Amino acid sequence: MEAAGRGGRKARRRRAKKNMNTVGSPAECPVCMTGYDGTVQRPRTLPCGHTVCTLCVDQLKVQGRVACPECRVSHAVPEGGQFPVSYAVESFIRMMRDAEVAPAAATSPPPSAGEGEGAAAAAAAAGAAGKKEAAGLSKKMRSFLQEQEATVVAAITACREAQSQLDQYQTTLAGWREQQQQLEDRLLGLVDQSRSARELLQQEESRAAAKEEELKKGEQGLQTVLETLHTLTTEQEAGAAVTEVFRCTGEAEQAVEECREGFPDASTVTTARKVNVASSATLETVQAALETLATEEPRPQADPDSTVMDRLHLIWTGSLTAEDLRSLTQPARRLLEAGRVFAVHQAEGQRRHARISLEAGQLCLHALKDDPTPRGAATLQVSEVVPPSPPCTVFLDLSWPGSAPRRVQIRLSPDTPRGRQFLLLCTGQRGPSYVNTRLFGVDRKGEAGEFVMGGDYESNDGSGSSVLLPGLDEGEYRKSGRAGDVFGVGWTDPIRGVFGQFGIYTRDRQGGGGCPRVFGEVVDGLHVVAEAAQHRNIKEVTVADCGVVL
């Protein structure tokens, strides 16, 4: 009977070890096939979920990374130099060892009296444990439950490995999804660009067809005149025919010249058609071909509008840059002359734009407007071209009944809040601008120290505080009363405090003194301000436009 009992216990231990082998021997390192211990070969869990002993982890380290020997996923070594200990594996190993030791302890003979009190105490404890076990579960049930525990631990390990694989897979899927979204965005952008290019080419075809029809009519008129010359019989008829010849040939020559200057030559047209055919191959071929076409130098054209090649260049290469404007490249110059360059500004969910012009060799950004940007325009951000604060040069275009708008350029001084506010109101970056505001007063008219006042964008009559920035009188102001000085108005309101309007001296102030809040100086157009001061009604003088010189 005793031999049979020992044989049954051995069979159960063999089944437990077999269960461990079926799940990859969790008690052994999969690399060195050595059992884990609690010192130098403790089990370490990698981020992928697999477990390797400490010695093997150290051997697998390459340039701060470890490749898992099970799934080959590469992991960065933690800052501490080691991956975390797998306490679940250690607990499982202890449980398996206890399962082997407990039956042997239960069948060991009682200690002899010569083994001492320690041995006796151990025997007594073992006897008490045996009694407790016998009182609760049978040995057979205990062994069976231990086998089930091993199975559960193995299943938990398998679940963790599967979760790690799923985490890795989800990370990969997220990367692919982001790449796919980028590709989709690019495709949509190419579709929009292609649609714009197609519409532009349709417009060019319509314009070419109209010019062709004009040439045909001119040719028909010349044929009629030629037939008339063959049938003349009197000098009076000859004189009338000669007049008709001059008119028809003149119109024909003008139409031919416009055609030569206003349209690309045949080789350029052929190139465009080849590009359209090639665009059906691949999206990359489309973009590369159209970029090549857009960079071809077109022939000059008399039409004030930009050339079709310039506008295709915008569609396929994007907005102009600030460097393109400053260097005034040939495409940039043509687009400026055609009035197709704009700066956009986004603030509080509202998108506005400002026209950029080329006037007397100067680049000028005009005040922002709420109108939509024209189709086919070249755009860049206002912040790319406008300085955040003075020093800089701004302009006001003044007009009054009987006088066309004339420009006044003002150089703003640095380190003054009033100068920064003046710049913002010339561009309209904060919303309001000086456009359509009036000069509301002139002081000491016709005398020394004469100056005009304006800048009330709130009430347009001098009663508004017109304060856009706080602390307007803080900063490095200078005191002066020279003609051309631009200064902050001097009066204050007991309730509203400082006013944000401006004044411009048109005549020197005698005896020194002057305003202590000078923040700028008229560098061009002081005579325009002086004429405005002499106008019969200063409130008829209006700021027709304003902006900044780039």
Side-chain angles (χ1 to χ4, degrees):
M1 292 293 292
E2 184 177 353
R6 286 197 296 270
R9 286 192 292 272
K10 291 180 180 179
R12 285 194 292 272
R13 287 198 295 271
R14 285 196 299 272
R15 286 197 298 272
K17 291 182 178 179
K18 182 178 180 181
N19 288 337
M20 291 172 60
N21 292 332
T22 58
V23 295
S25 299
E28 295 180 351
C29 173
V31 178
C32 63
M33 305 301 293
T34 304
Y36 297 117
D37 59 27
T39 56
V40 296
Q41 286 186 285
R42 300 189 71 179
R44 302 280 179 177
T45 300
L46 303 179
C48 60
H50 295 112
T51 305
V52 183
C53 74
T54 304
L55 292 179
C56 291
V57 169
D58 293 338
Q59 294 176 0
L60 291 171
K61 290 179 182 178
V62 178
Q63 295 182 352
R65 300 189 69 85
V66 170
C68 176
E70 298 282 347
C71 63
R72 309 310 301 168
V73 175
S74 179
H75 307 289
V77 177
E79 295 182 359
Q82 277 296 352
F83 294 95
V85 174
S86 178
Y87 295 105
V89 173
E90 288 189 338
S91 177
F92 171 68
I93 294 173
R94 285 195 300 270
M95 183 186 67
M96 295 303 300
R97 289 174 179 171
D98 292 341
E100 294 181 0
V101 173
T107 58
S108 61
S112 63
E115 292 179 8
E117 294 180 358
K131 293 180 181 178
K132 182 178 179 181
E133 180 177 288
L137 299 173
S138 65
K139 295 179 180 179
K140 183 177 181 180
M141 179 59 68
R142 180 74 175 174
S143 178
F144 176 77
L145 291 177
Q146 290 174 350
E147 292 179 4
Q148 299 306 310
E149 288 177 359
T151 302
V152 171
V153 170
I156 291 174
T157 302
C159 288
R160 290 179 177 176
E161 291 177 355
Q163 291 176 16
S164 177
Q165 292 176 353
L166 286 175
D167 290 342
Q168 186 74 18
Y169 184 58
Q170 289 177 345
T171 301
T172 303
L173 288 177
W176 288 347
R177 175 171 50 79
E178 183 178 357
Q179 294 177 4
Q180 191 67 26
Q181 183 63 51
Q182 293 175 355
L183 176 60
E184 181 179 346
D185 294 341
R186 184 182 178 190
L187 291 174
L188 293 175
L190 289 175
V191 169
D192 292 339
Q193 293 172 348
S194 178
R195 184 181 296 110
S196 299
R198 175 174 52 80
E199 294 174 357
L200 176 60
L201 292 172
Q202 287 177 346
Q203 295 174 3
E204 193 71 1
E205 287 177 354
S206 300
R207 199 165 68 91
K211 181 60 67 175
E212 182 181 10
E213 185 65 25
E214 181 182 346
L215 288 172
K216 287 181 179 179
K217 291 182 179 180
E219 182 183 356
Q220 291 175 358
L222 291 173
Q223 289 288 350
T224 302
V225 170
L226 183 60
E227 293 175 359
T228 301
L229 291 176
H230 293 163
T231 60
L232 296 176
T233 57
T234 64
E235 292 185 358
Q236 183 177 2
E237 291 177 349
V242 169
T243 302
E244 185 67 10
V245 167
F246 288 159
R247 184 186 68 80
C248 291
T249 55
E251 291 178 353
E253 290 174 357
Q254 181 179 357
V256 170
E257 186 65 21
E258 291 176 353
C259 183
R260 289 175 178 173
E261 293 180 353
F263 297 93
D265 55 18
S267 62
T268 304
V269 175
T270 302
T271 301
R273 293 186 180 278
K274 289 181 179 179
V275 170
N276 289 333
V277 174
S279 64
S280 60
T282 61
L283 290 176
E284 293 294 335
T285 303
V286 171
Q287 190 169 11
L290 287 173
E291 286 178 354
T292 300
L293 175 63
T295 57
E296 291 182 3
E297 184 67 19
R299 298 182 60 176
Q301 98 177 21
D303 192 332
D305 196 357
S306 58
T307 67
V308 64
M309 296 302 179
D310 289 336
R311 294 164 68 189
L312 280 174
H313 176 80
L314 289 178
I315 293 174
W316 293 105
T317 62
S319 302
L320 290 177
T321 65
E323 184 59 31
D324 291 333
L325 291 180
R326 295 188 182 98
S327 58
L328 281 180
T329 61
Q330 192 64 23
R333 181 180 290 273
R334 281 196 295 266
L335 290 167
L336 285 166
E337 293 172 349
R340 289 189 170 273
V341 181
F342 293 84
V344 296
H345 181 69
Q346 187 87 15
E348 298 180 355
Q350 184 180 14
R351 181 181 174 91
R352 307 166 69 208
H353 75 274
R355 181 172 63 91
I356 298 179
S357 62
L358 181 62
E359 305 174 24
Q362 287 184 326
L363 287 172
C364 299
L365 180 137
H366 301 256
L368 289 160
K369 296 183 179 180
D370 296 331
D371 301 332
T373 307
R375 189 178 186 85
T379 60
L380 66 165
Q381 296 296 320
V382 169
S383 58
E384 294 181 74
V385 292
V386 176
S389 62
C392 60
T393 301
V394 296
F395 65 89
L396 303 175
D397 289 345
L398 301 182
S399 67
W400 55 88
S403 174
R406 288 185 288 173
R407 180 153 299 178
V408 179
Q409 291 192 4
I410 300 171
R411 183 69 178 176
L412 299 177
S413 304
D415 302 324
T416 59
R418 288 184 181 269
R420 289 194 292 272
Q421 172 168 292
F422 201 94
L423 172 61
L424 292 174
L425 288 169
C426 283
T427 60
Q429 290 173 266
R430 292 287 185 90
S433 72
Y434 286 139
V435 175
N436 295 327
T437 61
R438 295 190 295 266
L439 300 183
F440 56 80
V442 55
D443 196 14
R444 301 182 183 180
K445 186 172 183 178
E447 302 175 1
E450 176 187 82
F451 64 90
V452 299
M453 293 172 288
D456 184 4
Y457 64 86
E458 292 180 334
S459 302
N460 217 7
D461 58 3
S463 63
S465 62
S466 303
V467 174
L468 191 64
L469 298 177
L472 288 182
D473 287 341
E474 301 174 1
E476 298 296 328
Y477 292 96
R478 61 185 177 87
K479 181 177 181 180
S480 177
R482 296 180 305 176
D485 284 339
V486 183
F487 59 94
V489 294
W491 65 83
T492 58
D493 185 273
I495 298 178
R496 289 177 290 180
V498 177
F499 278 58
Q501 297 145 12
F502 67 85
I504 302 177
Y505 282 110
T506 54
R507 300 190 183 191
D508 291 337
R509 184 166 179 165
Q510 295 180 351
C515 180
R517 290 176 294 276
V518 174
F519 61 86
E521 178 183 8
V522 176
V523 294
D524 188 26
L526 181 59
H527 64 285
V528 178
V529 186
E531 290 183 29
Q534 301 305 314
H535 187 65
R536 63 179 181 274
N537 184 0
I538 191 65
K539 293 184 178 180
E540 291 182 345
V541 180
T542 304
V543 179
D545 197 4
C546 58
V548 59
V549 178
L550 304 180

